[in-house]
Structures are given as structure tokens and as C-alpha cells.
Amino acid sequence: MLESFLPELALPENSQLLGQLESMITERRLPHAIIIEGADGELNGRLARLCARAFLCSCERPLEGECRVCRLMATYGAHADIVKVEGSGKTGAIPVDTIRDLNEQARRIPADADGQVYLLEDCDNMQPPAQNAFLKLFEEPPPRVMFVVTCRSAMNLLETIRSRACLLRASWPGAAPDEDAVRAAELAGRFAVALVSASEADALMLTGTFSRPAAKNPQVRKELAALLSAMRSLLRDALVIGAGAPSDTENGPAAVIAGTLPPERVAAMLDELPALEQALRTNAPIPLFTTAMCVRLRRAAGR
């Protein structure tokens, strides 16, 4: 369905994304906060506007093209209640003052539709003060208000922002992948499968790779933070697959987890991540941290 609006989505790598997003649109349960991560900023923005159109659509069947929102978006590519929040300055980052204004703007009555959508695009360089100012509105928006944030790497957003949104990772034709994110995702996949296995040896060996002599190097903490972020996305994918969404590969780590653990165990593992991320930020010794990470996540998995 969505490929007809955005043909660039028609890649094998996007099969799970499409299944998840189409299910949410068809069942009219799009969340109030979405983060779109992808290497092409323009295509990220087009997907964000498609999500916005689906959120405000009032057709009998979503995106059928009959309602006023669909007609205006198809004709002009814009709608009064789909608002792009603009950045400023040399970097184009959205400043904290704009976010403070947004807190008031988002509580206004919609101009035309039965709701509003705010698009915050290319937020990789959005500074922590602006993200913190956005946090409360992001987690507790007014009724029928949706926020869609786009970025090339979700790791550039605060964990408090990432944890309160539905993260959609999109692959785009010709776009060079983020090598650090790819490595983190691969390691998270290996680690997650090891965590749910009957033996704890594989998981302990993987965590041991971070306890090397250079473990005090800030780069190690950055790698661990990326691992935990990728783990969060992987576990969320496992929950989605466990709820019946299609998987891009039967043997992928998210599918393995979904086929091995009941949803309540996957959710328990997710619940452990905020405390682990907090410990990492407060400079817990790396050897102790990695061991505790392995033990706590295996316990949550019932291993």
C-alpha cells in the first residue's frame, strides 16, 4: 500500500517497516510520537508527511483519497494542520525558543482537520536544551496531536526522546548506511540471541569484548550506548513480530527472540534498559557494568 505513495520504500530491507506501519495505519492506531531514521533526509521528510496524512485521514479506508486531507495532500502536498517546525541559524537546528513556542501552538484548535501533526525534520543537530524543552510535550501531547521527528541517526537524539517514540528505521535507494549504527545493530543482534540461549557463555564472551585494557576510553562507553539503543529497537521489533507483524527474515534476531520468549519476557528485557543506560551515563566501571548488563538481561529473559 505505502509503496504506491512512496515507491522508494519498495526495498527488501523495508519489509518489516512496511508491515508495522501499514498495520498501524489500517487499524488507525498510529502513535502520537514517531521518529523516522534514515540516511536520506528528503525521503525521511516524505515518509513523515505520509504518516501525517494517514494520522489525519478520515476516509472510510485509510489513505483511500476521498477525504479533504487526502485531496489537499495529493494536490498540493500540504495541509494547514500539518506543520513543519523550522530550524534557524547556520546549522538549521531547531532552537529552544521555537520549542517553547511549540508548547503553546500545539494546544490550539486545529484549522481544518480533526487533529494536528508537527514535523521536526533533520533533528540530528538539535541541541540538548531544545530536546529537553520538547520532552514533556513529546511524551504528553494534547489530544489528537502527533509529532514526527526525522533524523539520520537516532543516536543523535537524547535517550529520553528515543524511549518515548515509535522508531521507524527506513532504508533508501543509494543511501550510504551509518557504519557505526550498522555495527551496533549487528552486535545487538548477536548479543540478544546469546542472551535468550540456554547457555550464558556466549553472552558473557560478547560483553567481555568491552572489558579490554582500553575500557576507560570514552569510545567504549559510546559503543555500549549504541549497543543499548540498538537493543531497544531490536526488542521492540520482537514485540511487534510477536503480535503478528511480518518479519523481513525468519532467522533474523528479532524473529528469533519473538519465537523464543513470550511477550512479557521481551517487555521485561526492555524495562531493564533505562537503568542500564543511566548506569552507563554515571560512569559505572565498564567490567562491572558489562557483567551486570548480561546478568540483568538474562534474568529478565527468564534464563
Side-chain angles (χ1 to χ4, degrees), residues 2-295:
L2 297 179
E3 300 100 309
S4 63
F5 298 96
L6 190 52
E8 290 84 355
L9 282 170
L11 295 175
E13 302 95 306
N14 288 328
S15 60
Q16 186 168 312
L17 164 68
L18 287 168
Q20 178 184 2
L21 190 52
E22 288 180 358
S23 175
M24 291 190 294
I25 290 173
T26 301
E27 297 173 17
R28 299 189 188 275
R29 54 180 181 86
L30 279 165
H32 73 271
I34 289 176
I35 296 171
I36 296 174
E37 177 188 77
D40 189 310
E42 180 183 352
L43 291 172
N44 288 345
R46 288 173 58 189
L47 179 56
R49 288 186 286 279
L50 181 56
C51 290
R53 171 178 169 178
F55 183 75
L56 298 179
C57 172
S58 59
C59 297
E60 184 175 347
R61 288 185 295 179
L63 299 177
E64 197 169 41
E66 297 175 348
C67 73
R68 179 173 171 80
V69 171
C70 281
R71 293 199 306 270
L72 288 173
M73 289 296 291
T75 303
Y76 303 106
H79 186 277
D81 291 309
I82 299 176
V83 182
K84 183 176 179 179
V85 181
E86 301 284 357
S88 62
K90 292 182 180 180
T91 65
I94 300 171
V96 66
D97 288 343
T98 297
I99 296 298
R100 288 171 180 152
D101 292 341
L102 181 60
N103 276 273
E104 180 180 344
Q105 184 180 356
R107 289 173 170 78
R108 296 174 184 168
I109 297 174
D112 182 72
D114 185 28
Q116 296 174 300
V117 181
Y118 292 91
L119 308 178
L120 294 83
E121 299 182 17
D122 298 320
C123 286
D124 295 83
N125 57 2
M126 189 175 176
Q127 295 302 303
Q131 293 191 47
N132 281 321
F134 183 41
L135 180 59
K136 185 166 181 61
L137 183 63
F138 197 62
E139 64 182 347
E140 296 179 6
R144 289 294 296 168
V145 170
M146 177 196 224
F147 297 102
V148 186
V149 174
T150 73
C151 57
R152 285 170 172 77
S153 173
M155 285 301 296
N156 293 320
L157 303 174
L158 297 178
E159 187 277 330
T160 47
I161 294 288
R162 299 196 308 270
S163 65
R164 287 161 173 79
C166 173
L167 177 59
L168 302 176
R169 284 196 168 96
S171 296
W172 301 118
D178 184 319
E179 293 184 3
D180 290 340
V182 170
R183 282 195 295 271
E186 290 176 350
L187 181 57
R190 290 164 53 204
F191 184 41
V193 171
L195 285 170
V196 303
S197 71
S199 170
E200 66 179 356
D202 290 343
L204 284 171
M205 287 181 65
L206 282 169
T207 57
T209 63
F210 293 100
S211 301
R212 51 190 184 269
K216 292 184 179 180
N217 190 316
Q219 179 62 24
V220 177
R221 291 189 184 276
K222 182 178 179 182
E223 291 172 5
L224 281 166
L227 170 67
L228 291 174
S229 177
M231 181 71 68
R232 173 177 278 106
S233 298
L234 185 63
L235 293 173
R236 284 177 171 171
D237 288 347
L239 282 176
V240 171
I241 294 170
S247 171
D248 52 351
T249 169
E250 293 182 2
N251 299 316
V256 170
I257 294 168
T260 304
L261 299 180
E264 58 269 22
R265 287 294 184 182
V266 180
M269 293 177 74
L270 267 171
D271 288 342
E272 290 289 338
L273 296 182
L276 290 170
E277 288 168 325
Q278 177 63 24
L280 190 60
R281 286 195 297 270
T282 54
N283 294 320
I286 294 297
L288 292 177
F289 172 82
T290 53
T291 301
M293 175 175 67
C294 180
V295 170

